[in-house]
């Protein structure tokens, strides 16, 4: 019924799995993949963000660190249009933008791996990978909204294989997968559809050591394709190793932006808890 | 986070090309899979009940063609309502107002038909009968769709719990129908509607209304299984937040589902006047009970994410066979209500058990 109007993805053909198959970012060249400047957001009595800043250039992994409640998740949500900030500007692919929905961010090639609730447990792996971006048959069937599961399965399989993610079957419901497999899938999904930037909120929080390592490798792989990667994590040692640059959020304010190579874990922790904040910047 | 890691670090010793998380289960045989579906068991129960009632009935009248046709016509309206409800339940929303919707739609449709057809001439023929019936059908379905859209808007945009929203519109719909008819029924709808559609059959066997319901079931089955609309519907019921985060316009989608359920209720309203040649304003109080029972016993999960259209069909058959069978065996009609109520509660009990066994909610 609403098929005709609900198909932004279909009317502006975004090549599915472009990121998974092409060598470089699909949208030509840009320097700044995604940036947020002077972002402020208040929820009732809580000033979640006061002056949050981050810049992620194409081809680099930026780590966003901060204590619990520092505003990291809120910051990511403003970057993808889920939350409208009270103040601040955004840049995506070198252009000033103002997203009013996740859909807008997706259309600009920005995808996010959420801390939780990223997948639909009763849907198969394939349907989850393509949820919101379903591939349709050519011709009349496609116009009726019929999906092409065979092609979706092939692309999903290729995308997962390229990221070294192994699953027992692409046809099983997500609820049959382990926490690690689900997380890997959520990352793969974002990587498949993002062609400008991929944001990740605690992508390794539910994972074992080995799978955390895989996800960290994924970040590098994605960045090497020319996308910007912004990752929120508490796994400081591991993420510090893969990141190019680090942004530290302290009580809703960006307290530090520095190359990862210049920082050690104790430095990061100190800034995270607000220690010596004035000298560090 | 470190606790999670330490618990799993032993697995890190597994060979590199082998993911320790993979514990693939051998695929099941098609027969095994078939019998894992609740609907299949309900079909078995249907067959059993048909055999039982047939054997117990005088002269096996339960198996007579007349009775089977009556079963199919009775089942038609129940199936149309149940199908719409199943779509909504797939997305995690209820609709208690399907019966009122049917009634209101049938009242407006019947008035439209009578108004356009005008009084019959001496031979009992009407002017514009074809146009009258066509517009009557359009008004029935249109009323149903609008009713559904109102439900959908209340649920999606005003964020009112679907049970409450549709309980409210149930009262409003029935009340509005009674206000329009001033407490009575719209009678003397042209009898050609009965003879040409409501009580007519294809090849002298399959009642046309039943054919309509079967077509509706096939279309919805196809929609759920093969289309983007179906995937999104189930995603919405499975985990609404995930669907939102995947960029699906969840509210709009809910309204469209409620519109489908409403349209089917309106269609059932048209079937109603086609059968009886009049409305039956007071005759649909139990419709939501029957429809919900049919859907739930067929294996559709009440918290959404899984819809079994085939199960809805077998579930409807069960409800109707039970009703008719008890009457044929000489029980008074109110025993049906008890039977359906018991079946509903047993079905939901089994549903709970299933969810617990799946263990992820
Ligand atoms: N939707 C909301 N409504 C009210 N307060 C919120 C909301 N989201 C976040 N907050 C508050 O904003 C602050 C920052 O939260 P969050 O961004 O989740 O922090 P982090 O991800 O860094 O742990 C917290 O104090 C939190 O309670
Ligand atoms: Mg957070």
């Amino acid at each position: 019924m609403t098929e005709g109007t609900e198909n932004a993805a279909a009317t502006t053909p975004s090549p599915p799995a472009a990121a998974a198959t092409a060598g470089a970012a699909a949208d030509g060249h840009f320097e700044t993949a995604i940036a947020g400047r002077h972002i402020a957001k208040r929820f009732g009595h809580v000033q979640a963000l006061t002056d949050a800043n981050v810049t992620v250039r194409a081809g680099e992994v930026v780590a966003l660190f901060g204590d619990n409640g520092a505003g990291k998740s809120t910051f990511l949500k403003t970057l993808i249009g889920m939350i409208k900030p009270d103040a601040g500007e955004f840049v995506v692919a070198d252009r000033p933008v103002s997203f009013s929905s996740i859909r807008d961010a997706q259309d600009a090639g920005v995808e996010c791996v959420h801390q939780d609730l990223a997948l639909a447990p009763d849907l198969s792996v394939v349907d989850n990978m393509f949820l919101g971006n379903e591939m349709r048959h050519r011709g009349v069937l496609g116009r009726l909204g019929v999906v092409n599961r065979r092609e979706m399965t092939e692309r999903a399989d290729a995308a997962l294989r390229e990221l070294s993610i192994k699953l027992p079957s692409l046809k099983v419901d997500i609820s049959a997968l382990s926490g690690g497999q689900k997380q890997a899938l959520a990352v793969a999904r974002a990587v498949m559809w993002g062609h400008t930037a991929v944001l990740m909120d605690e992508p390794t929080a539910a994972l074992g050591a080995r799978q955390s390592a895989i996800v960290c490798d994924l970040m590098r792989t994605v960045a090497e394709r020319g996308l910007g990667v912004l990752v929120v994590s508490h796994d400081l040692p591991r993420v510090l190793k893969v990141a190019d640059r680090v942004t530290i959020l302290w009580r809703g304010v960006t307290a530090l932006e520095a190359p990862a190579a210049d920082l050690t874990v104790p430095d990061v922790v100190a800034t995270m808890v607000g220690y010596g904040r004035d000298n560090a910047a | 986070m470190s606790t999670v890691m330490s618990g799993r670090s032993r697995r890190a010793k597994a060979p590199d090309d082998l993911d320790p998380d993979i514990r693939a289960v051998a695929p099941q045989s098609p027969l095994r899979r078939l019998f894992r579906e609740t609907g299949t068991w309900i079909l078995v129960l249907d067959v059993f009940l048909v055999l039982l009632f047939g054997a117990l009935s005088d002269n096996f009248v339960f198996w007579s063609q007349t009775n089977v046709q009556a079963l199919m016509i009775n089942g038609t309206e129940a199936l149309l309502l149940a199908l719409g409800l199943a779509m909504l339940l797939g997305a995690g929303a209820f609709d208690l107002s399907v019966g009122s919707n049917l009634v209101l739609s049938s009242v407006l449709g019947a008035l439209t038909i009578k108004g356009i057809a005008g009084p019959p001439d001496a031979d009992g023929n009407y002017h514009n009968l074809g146009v009258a019936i066509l517009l009557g059908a359009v008004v029935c379905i249109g009323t149903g769709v609008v009713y559904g859209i109102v439900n959908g808007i209340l649920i999606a945009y005003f964020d009112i719990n679907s049970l409450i929203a549709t309980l409210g519109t149930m009262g409003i719909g029935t009340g509005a129908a009674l206000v329009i008819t001033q407490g009575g029924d719209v009678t003397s709808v042209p009898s050609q509607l009965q003879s040409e559609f409501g009580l007519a059959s294809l090849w002298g066997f399959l009642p046309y209304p039943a054919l309509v319901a079967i077509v509706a079931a096939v279309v919805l089955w196809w929609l759920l299984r093969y289309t983007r609309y179906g995937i999104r519907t189930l995603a919405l019921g499975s985990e609404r937040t995930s669907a939102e985060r995947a960029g699906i316009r969840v509210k709009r989608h809910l309204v469209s589902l409620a519109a489908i359920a409403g349209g089917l209720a309106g269609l059932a309203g048209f079937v109603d006047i086609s059968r009886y040649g009049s409305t039956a304003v007071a005759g649909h109080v139990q419709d939501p009970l029957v429809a919900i029972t049919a859907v739930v016993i067929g294996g559709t999960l009440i918290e959404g994410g899984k819809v079994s259209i085939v199960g809805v069909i077998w579930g409807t058959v069960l409800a109707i066979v039970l009703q008719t069978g008890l009457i044929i065996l000489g029980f008074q009609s109110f025993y049906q209500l008890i039977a359906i109520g018991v079946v509903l509660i047993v079905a939901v009990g089994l549903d709970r058990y299933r969810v617990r066994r799946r263990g992820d909610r």
Side-chain angles (χ1 to χ4, degrees), chain A residues 43 46 48 67-74:
Chain A
F43 296 110
V46 183
D67 212 351
N68 277 332
K72 307 179 294 294
S73 296
T74 306

Side-chain angles (χ1 to χ4, degrees), chain B residues 79-99:
Chain B
L79 181 56
L80 287 172
L81 298 185
L83 286 171
L85 195 71
M87 292 299 285
L88 268 175
L89 268 183
F94 257 95
D95 189 352
L96 296 179
S97 70
V98 284

Side-chain angles (χ1 to χ4, degrees), chain A residues 67-74 77 115 201-202 232 234:
Chain A
D67 212 351
N68 277 332
K72 307 179 294 294
S73 296
T74 306
K77 285 175 185 165
Q115 206 166 346
D201 197 353
E202 310 267 9
V232 168
H234 277 113

